[in-house]
Amino acid sequence: MDYAIGWNRFNLSVLGVWPEPSKTTLLWRLTSAGIFWTSTTVTFLFICAPQTTDLILNSTTLDEAIENLSINIPIAFALIKQIVLRYHGEALKSLLVDIVNDWAQSLPEPERLTMLKNAKMSRRISLFCSTLTYLMLTAFISLQTYANMASASEVDLGGLLHPATFPYDIKKSPYFEITWMGQFMGTVLTAICYSCFDTFLAVFVLHLCGQLSVLQLNLKELAEVAKRDIGLFQNKLGFIVNRHNELYRFALIVESCFNLTLLGQTLISTAMFCLTGYRMITSIGSQEQDLPIVGMIFFIIHVIYTMLHLYIYCYVGETLLIESTGIAFSAYDCVWYDLPPKKAMCLMIVICRARIAFQITAGKFSPFSLELFGAIMKTSAGYLSVLLAVKEGPVEE
């Protein structure tokens, strides 16, 4: 278990939203709550609210509005993700308790290897997304620092990480230093939250897929059990049915905790692909200013980062669909024709039940799958072309 979720536990503990499955002390709960409220307050006061104010008061052109929204939207949504994790803490804690119990069981080697395979995939996703997050964060801070240093003067301390409007003079010391540090902390924390929310979901779904794979192995061995002992066959079949219902409840909890946030993530990923792609293309085509190489690296990583997280949803959703419906195929693939007719008919119940696939959905509108990912990419490219057409100028009457 530590191998699969250790990195997520570290990141979520930094944000104060880790739903510790074991018994916790009062000091731990107070510390976690303090970290959560401090991080969310800093992000809201130094980034979200000032940037929204700046958008309303100072963004007069399409380029200025897009530049503001391309940063403000993901940061605000990362803040929402952090709040969602805190709000569903008890439900997520129950899921982690189930995961701990699954790993604590004594299982045959093939079943444990199946679980370990999915745990390794969860760990790879977590490490890769976190690495990409830190690369994008480094590129963004470097780009902003470079731009601020280029525009700074002896009487001007330079600019902030995020253009924003504050109710005080940010050019004076120590207001500038305090504001800059507040934005820096908020940027780092929201970048971590934006990434670990998605990888945390992947941990739950891939663990569920591993348990479904284990159940498939049990179904394939069911006929062999019947040859040795009919009574044992009944017990084994009852265990499989009950275990399938438990996994279905696990899937329902994951769906209820994450579906609304996933709907927002789907819409925002579409918008961010358009906005970031627009900024990158217009920056390349601009002859008024040179775009430093770190700026191009940031835009490229940002586009990849945005679509990668959407792909993770679709990938784990597709895997869940395959594994859940695979229960029916496993029941059919076992040598049911060697069973007594009444016992073989019991498998029909399992097959009929397994035809209802487990799903994670975007607000209960559409299940995540690779087909959905392709549709979103096509839609995003269409919106990007519209933005570029508007940039070229209004249509003449």
Side-chain angles (χ1 to χ4, degrees), residues 149-207:
M149 291 176 63
S151 62
S153 63
E154 295 182 358
V155 295
D156 187 4
L157 296 173
L160 300 173
L161 283 177
H162 305 282
T165 299
F166 290 89
Y168 53 85
D169 188 0
I170 61 172
K171 295 182 179 180
K172 293 182 179 181
S173 181
Y175 299 119
F176 174 80
E177 289 82 357
I178 294 174
T179 306
W180 195 94
M181 284 303 302
Q183 289 197 339
F184 176 79
M185 290 176 56
T187 303
V188 173
L189 292 173
T190 51
I192 293 174
C193 184
Y194 195 95
S195 173
C196 67
F197 178 94
D198 301 338
T199 57
F200 198 40
L201 170 66
V203 166
F204 287 130
V205 178
L206 289 177
H207 177 79

Side-chain angles (χ1 to χ4, degrees), residues 133-297:
T133 298
Y134 296 137
L135 286 175
M136 187 187 68
L137 191 61
T138 302
F140 172 76
I141 294 175
S142 301
L143 176 63
Q144 292 299 100
T145 303
Y146 171 85
N148 293 339
M149 291 176 63
S151 62
S153 63
E154 295 182 358
V155 295
D156 187 4
L157 296 173
L160 300 173
L161 283 177
H162 305 282
T165 299
F166 290 89
Y168 53 85
D169 188 0
I170 61 172
K171 295 182 179 180
K172 293 182 179 181
S173 181
Y175 299 119
F176 174 80
E177 289 82 357
I178 294 174
T179 306
W180 195 94
M181 284 303 302
Q183 289 197 339
F184 176 79
M185 290 176 56
T187 303
V188 173
L189 292 173
T190 51
I192 293 174
C193 184
Y194 195 95
S195 173
C196 67
F197 178 94
D198 301 338
T199 57
F200 198 40
L201 170 66
V203 166
F204 287 130
V205 178
L206 289 177
H207 177 79
L208 177 59
C209 292
Q211 294 304 303
L212 289 170
S213 297
V214 169
L215 210 58
Q216 293 177 33
L217 294 176
N218 291 332
L219 272 170
K220 291 178 180 178
E221 298 171 355
L222 198 58
E224 297 298 327
V225 172
K227 293 179 182 179
R228 299 193 301 267
D229 188 344
I230 291 296
L232 185 60
F233 169 86
Q234 289 293 121
N235 293 335
K236 191 75 171 178
L237 181 62
F239 166 78
I240 291 173
V241 172
N242 290 330
R243 182 57 178 162
H244 191 253
N245 285 331
E246 291 175 0
L247 295 179
Y248 181 66
R249 288 193 293 270
F250 188 101
L252 286 180
I253 294 174
V254 173
E255 164 71 8
S256 64
C257 290
F258 291 100
N259 74 86
L260 290 178
T261 311
L262 294 181
L263 174 62
Q265 179 70 55
T266 303
L267 299 176
I268 286 175
S269 295
T270 304
M272 291 309 302
F273 179 83
C274 300
L275 298 179
T276 307
Y278 174 86
R279 289 186 65 192
M280 181 173 65
I281 293 173
T282 54
S283 297
I284 294 174
S286 176
Q287 298 179 353
E288 298 178 359
Q289 58 181 3
D290 294 330
L291 181 66
I293 187 64
V294 69
M296 182 54 60
I297 293 174

Side-chain angles (χ1 to χ4, degrees), residues 290-328:
D290 294 330
L291 181 66
I293 187 64
V294 69
M296 182 54 60
I297 293 174
F298 166 71
F299 285 133
I300 293 174
I301 294 178
H302 198 182
V303 171
I304 296 174
Y305 178 84
T306 301
M307 302 319 296
L308 172 66
H309 282 260
L310 182 61
Y311 179 79
I312 289 173
Y313 295 147
C314 295
Y315 168 75
V316 298
E318 181 83 11
T319 304
L320 183 59
L321 288 172
I322 293 172
E323 293 294 342
S324 60
T325 54
I327 297 292

